[in-house]
Amino acid sequence: MSGGEEILKVENVVKRFGGITAVNRVSFNVRKGEILGLIGPNGAGKTTLFNCITGVYRPEEGRIVFLGEDITGLQPHVIARKGIVRTWQKVRPFKKMTVLDTVTVGALLRTNSVTEAKRKAEDILKFIEFPEDKFEVMGKEITLIEHKLVDLARAIATEPTLLLLDEVAAGLRPNEMERLASILKKVNKERNLTMIVVEHVMRFVMGLSQRMIVMHEGEKIAEGTPQEIANNPRVIEAYLGTKPL
């Protein structure tokens, strides 16, 4: 659960592509220890906002403050070292590397010792309950849920303060989503890792998040608990295209 301290402040961020405003004056805070859900229809600007936070894009207006420091427009590798790490919508497997070596790559952000990085990678894989008999399996030979877990483990191995998960449940079966949600809650609670989760699977993200933000056509239209969001007329209209009866 949230400890109350604000670790990230997004203030009036604007990102344009030509004549299209993908993110329009979006502001919100993230509290230490919470899981914040970020939802909205396709094209709402969620991933663009992630890209602004992580340095992939530089916003035209506004600023992003992390742990009291303005990080607006810094390079992605600099932001990662400061403690903000992300996963991507599509898994990016290291097909010609083993599971263990792939996670070791993430751990090397914080150490020059391959031995230490590999030990950390083993610990993290065990922590997220990845099958130990698959540690030495090549990336091209594992399943989709296993790829998702490897991506998660690699991100955790960088020792982030804030983890951004972009549609981490996409393509998974219901039982796999339950397994993933359980692991994410364990990571959040036992490692006190703050998360922002972009997701289209409503049952998954509402069961995972303590607080939620809704975007539509580049703007933030709602913020609140999952129950408040589920009953918000503007959210219902944005998703269904009609006003609730």
Side-chain angles (χ1 to χ4, degrees):
M1 294 297 290
S2 170
E5 175 192 355
E6 294 176 349
I7 63 171
L8 181 76
K9 296 182 180 182
V10 175
E11 301 177 347
N12 295 311
V13 166
V14 176
K15 179 60 189 174
R16 302 185 186 95
F17 298 98
I20 297 173
T21 302
V23 176
N24 190 13
R25 300 201 174 281
V26 171
S27 297
F28 64 92
N29 298 333
V30 180
R31 303 166 189 153
K32 183 175 178 59
E34 78 174 328
I35 300 178
L36 176 69
L38 178 58
I39 67 171
N42 285 327
K46 305 180 298 296
T47 296
T48 300
L49 182 59
F50 262 23
N51 286 336
C52 290
I53 294 171
T54 56
V56 178
Y57 298 148
R58 183 183 183 97
E60 277 75 32
E61 298 179 34
R63 66 177 195 150
I64 298 155
V65 179
F66 179 59
L67 298 176
E69 178 184 359
D70 189 338
I71 62 167
T72 313
L74 294 181
Q75 291 295 310
H77 69 278
V78 176
I79 291 176
R81 282 195 172 274
K82 290 182 180 297
I84 301 179
V85 176
R86 68 175 298 174
T87 64
W88 299 82
Q89 285 182 4
K90 295 182 180 180
V91 293
R92 299 184 172 192
F94 292 14
K95 294 182 179 180
K96 297 181 180 180
M97 294 177 65
T98 66
V99 166
L100 181 58
D101 285 346
T102 299
V103 180
T104 300
V105 170
L108 286 169
L109 181 69
R110 302 295 181 189
T111 178
N112 292 323
S113 168
V114 175
T115 300
E116 181 182 342
K118 185 164 288 191
R119 178 193 56 75
K120 184 196 293 185
E122 288 179 347
D123 290 344
I124 291 168
L125 285 166
K126 291 174 183 176
F127 178 76
I128 66 167
E129 300 164 25
F130 196 93
E132 290 190 41
D133 61 351
K134 291 192 173 183
F135 282 13
E136 298 298 336
V137 170
M138 303 298 285
K140 63 183 179 181
E141 298 173 3
I142 60 178
T143 65
L144 178 59
I145 178 64
E146 289 168 345
H147 276 305
K148 302 269 189 179
L149 292 176
V150 170
D151 276 1
L152 175 63
R154 188 171 64 219
I156 295 171
T158 68
E159 299 180 15
T161 301
L162 175 62
L163 176 60
L164 280 55
L165 301 169
D166 198 351
E167 295 193 36
V168 68
L172 299 182
R173 302 182 181 93
N175 65 315
E176 292 173 332
M177 288 185 197
E178 289 180 11
R179 177 186 174 192
L180 180 59
S182 176
I183 291 169
L184 290 175
K185 288 177 182 178
K186 178 182 178 183
V187 172
N188 171 248
K189 181 178 180 180
E190 297 187 23
R191 296 203 168 219
N192 196 31
L193 181 53
T194 310
M195 303 179 192
I196 309 177
V197 182
V198 162
E199 193 52 69
H200 282 292
V201 182
M202 289 299 101
R203 180 174 295 182
F204 176 84
V205 69
M206 286 192 165
L208 189 63
S209 306
Q210 291 118 22
R211 190 166 59 97
M212 302 185 73
I213 289 169
V214 186
M215 291 182 66
H216 181 53
E217 296 180 347
E219 298 182 353
K220 186 180 84 170
I221 63 169
E223 180 175 345
T225 66
Q227 184 175 1
E228 289 169 342
I229 294 301
N231 295 315
N232 186 300
R234 287 197 69 191
V235 176
I236 295 169
E237 182 177 358
Y239 272 95
L240 300 181
T242 56
K243 293 183 179 180
L245 299 175

